[in-house]
Amino acid sequence: MTALLERLQGHRSRVVQAPIVREGRIVQMVGMRLEAEGCRAPIGSRCRIAAEDGRTVEAEVIGFAGSRLILTPEGGTQGIMPGASVQPLGFSHRVAVDDALLGRVMDGAGHLIDGGSPLHFSTYRALRGDAINPMLREPIREPLDVGVRAINALCTVGRGQRMGLFAGSGVGKSTLLGMMTRHCAADVIVVGLIGERGREVREFIEDVLGFEGRARAVIVATPADDPPLMRLHGAWRATAIAEHFRQQGRSVLLLMDSLTRFAQAQREIGLAAGEPPVSRGYPPSVFSLLPALVERAGNVGSGSLTAFYTVLVEGDDLEDPIADAARAVLDGHLVLSRRIADSGLFPAIDIEASISRNMPAVVDPAQLELVRRIVGLYASYQANRDLLAIGAYKAGSDPALDRAIAAIEPIREFVRQDRLQQVDMVQSLQGLLQLAGKAGLEAGR
């Protein structure tokens, strides 16, 4: 038996130490899919490709077909020719982390793009890191003050919770993220702008985030014109930076806009690698990568990492595959309604469709009951909107609906909040009690 084990160990050693050819050649390129022959490298490692104009383009190994490596580039592919040399670099995914990053803006590769002075780092983390042992996660027991009254009072978020922000285009999701960045009671805020329009990056930083919000924030920006691998790495980089500050025992808020663009980037890479599309063009790797990303948030040790991920719903369709998959792995969701936004109410939070699954663990039962009754009044009004609009309802016919009609305007005013206004948790709960009085829901009634 001992001799057999020694032979197996010797065979395993020979496999691991097999010589690796250090240089290969590009033999085919279709879209974002590059194929190289003559070199060996493991999946997930990086290679350097020499372009005709003297530039080098880094690419990641995403698969193989026989003896050919399948690569996807991190940068542009201009200048890459048939026969271009390919040099394996090994696993070089490292994320520089330091307090000096606060207030700075970088791209998905970690290059500072804000025009500020260069930084020198001595601490690094792995880009994708390791999964958290479920038994090492601390329970969510403490509420997080995000500075937005409707969220604090009606959809309370706990420290370490993962929330989805479901919205169509143009209903105020970026503005709501900016409000939380400015007003949230977190030590550090990490913002990942993944796949959004390039002009929105500076607008978000200067107009929405502002000087106060930026001072304690790190921004990772990978606009829509970046290659899919860069956009993918932007999301992983933002998460790794947030993990670093959590490891220091700090309260961290991670805002990622958007999870949908992250999924679309992986769709491009997966299809280039030859994966079959299984749901509206999305390959299986997308649905396995989503939980791998969001599960890195949570409470570990004395630190907390609370995350908000925006999810774009095409045509306001909440049954979109990414929206459906996100709901399954997140701890709740806030829905921004186009109908509510069109009525002039901002933030356009649909309190009937929104839910925080950890709310019962972080608030008083009396508040939970009060919220349930307020949402019930709101839902009753919405269910009868058409009846009321055509004047078919006669006051007094239904006492419950009469209460809902009387309460709808106070509820709308409670949700309405200027983007520069901060409403802390105490003020939010005081406002909730006042709303209950206006709606005829005082304790004991």
Side-chain angles (χ1 to χ4, degrees):
M1 179 63 72
T2 302
L4 176 60
L5 288 175
E6 290 176 351
R7 286 198 301 273
L8 289 174
Q9 290 172 353
H11 174 69
R12 188 178 297 115
S13 177
R14 287 193 299 274
V15 171
V16 172
Q17 296 175 5
I20 295 178
V21 179
R22 289 300 178 185
E23 188 171 306
R25 300 287 173 182
I26 294 293
V27 295
Q28 185 172 342
M29 174 178 174
V30 180
M32 301 301 291
R33 174 188 173 118
L34 300 171
E35 294 188 16
E37 278 188 344
C39 58
R40 296 175 58 193
I43 291 178
S45 65
R46 298 172 74 80
C47 296
R48 181 182 293 123
I49 304 171
E52 182 189 22
D53 55 4
R55 294 185 310 111
T56 58
V57 178
E58 290 199 5
E60 183 172 307
V61 180
I62 59 173
F64 55 86
S67 61
R68 291 186 178 186
L69 294 181
I70 301 174
L71 311 169
T72 187
E74 186 177 63
T77 57
Q78 295 82 0
I80 296 179
M81 297 178 59
S85 67
V86 179
Q87 181 181 7
L89 301 177
F91 293 94
S92 57
H93 295 309
R94 297 196 307 166
V95 178
V97 288
D98 194 275
D99 280 9
L101 287 175
L102 295 174
R104 304 303 299 269
V105 186
M106 67 182 66
D107 63 13
H111 303 134
L112 297 172
I113 59 175
D114 54 8
S117 59
L119 300 176
H120 302 283
F121 302 95
S122 58
T123 306
Y124 295 86
R125 290 185 63 91
L127 182 68
R128 301 203 181 192
D130 298 320
I132 302 174
N133 185 331
M135 297 304 296
L136 297 181
R137 287 182 180 271
E138 297 295 331
I140 298 172
R141 293 287 184 266
E142 183 180 351
L144 176 67
D145 182 357
V146 298
V148 180
R149 179 171 49 231
I151 300 176
N152 280 345
L154 302 177
C155 202
T156 311
V157 177
R159 290 185 184 271
Q161 189 167 342
R162 295 85 49 89
M163 289 287 290
L165 184 57
F166 291 68
S169 58
V171 295
K173 61 180 176 58
S174 295
T175 302
L176 182 56
L177 289 179
M179 291 174 66
M180 289 190 285
T181 307
R182 285 170 177 264
H183 308 317
C184 180
D187 301 323
V188 176
I189 298 166
V190 181
V191 182
L193 301 176
I194 312 300
E196 295 301 306
R197 292 181 287 268
R199 68 167 179 81
E200 291 184 339
V201 174
R202 186 166 182 176
E203 290 179 2
F204 180 87
I205 294 171
E206 295 182 356
D207 301 336
V208 179
L209 191 59
F211 177 80
E212 297 176 356
R214 182 174 176 179
R216 55 176 178 152
V218 182
I219 301 97
V220 181
T222 56
D225 57 345
D226 279 351
L229 185 62
M230 183 75 84
R231 283 177 265 141
L232 206 67
H233 285 179
W236 290 114
R237 185 172 298 274
T239 305
I241 292 172
E243 286 178 317
H244 163 73
F245 289 111
R246 176 184 63 188
Q247 190 175 18
Q248 294 181 333
R250 304 192 197 186
S251 171
V252 184
L253 176 66
L254 171 64
L255 302 174
M256 190 169 295
D257 186 13
S258 69
L259 194 64
T260 305
R261 304 299 187 204
F262 171 82
Q264 290 172 348
Q266 178 59 30
R267 175 173 63 182
E268 294 180 51
I269 293 173
L271 294 177
E275 287 189 74
V278 294
S279 179
R280 292 199 190 178
Y282 288 100
S285 62
V286 171
F287 301 101
S288 62
L289 211 59
L290 287 177
L293 179 71
V294 304
E295 282 291 333
R296 288 173 64 176
N299 298 332
V300 179
S302 59
S304 67
L305 173 49
T306 310
F308 281 81
Y309 303 92
T310 67
V311 179
L312 297 173
V313 287
E314 299 178 3
D316 297 332
D317 178 16
L318 293 177
E319 303 306 318
D320 175 85
I322 300 304
D324 193 50
R327 275 197 303 269
V329 297
L330 295 172
D331 301 322
H333 52 269
L334 298 168
V335 177
L336 299 187
S337 166
R338 189 175 304 279
R339 173 181 54 78
I340 295 175
D342 290 343
S343 72
L345 178 62
F346 291 95
I349 300 174
D350 187 342
I351 63 173
E352 180 185 5
S354 303
I355 186 172
S356 171
R357 295 193 181 105
N358 289 105
M359 186 174 176
V362 297
V363 303
D364 185 89
Q367 177 187 343
L368 201 62
E369 175 62 18
L370 200 57
V371 169
R372 186 189 65 80
R373 297 171 70 185
I374 288 173
V375 172
L377 289 176
Y378 180 85
S380 178
Y381 178 86
Q382 296 300 328
N384 292 277
R385 283 179 69 249
D386 294 340
L387 191 67
L388 297 171
I390 63 175
Y393 176 72
K394 182 179 180 181
S397 301
D398 185 348
L401 183 54
D402 290 338
R403 289 195 296 270
I405 295 171
I408 193 63
E409 280 307 314
I411 293 175
R412 287 174 58 86
E413 285 304 313
F414 181 80
V415 174
R416 180 177 283 112
Q417 183 175 331
D418 185 83
R419 68 183 183 89
L420 298 179
Q421 179 188 9
Q422 179 179 3
V423 182
D424 63 26
M425 187 67 74
V426 173
Q427 293 171 325
S428 299
L429 296 181
Q430 290 174 345
L432 181 64
L433 292 176
Q434 294 172 2
L435 172 60
K438 295 176 182 178
L441 298 178
E442 295 95 335
R445 293 186 57 175

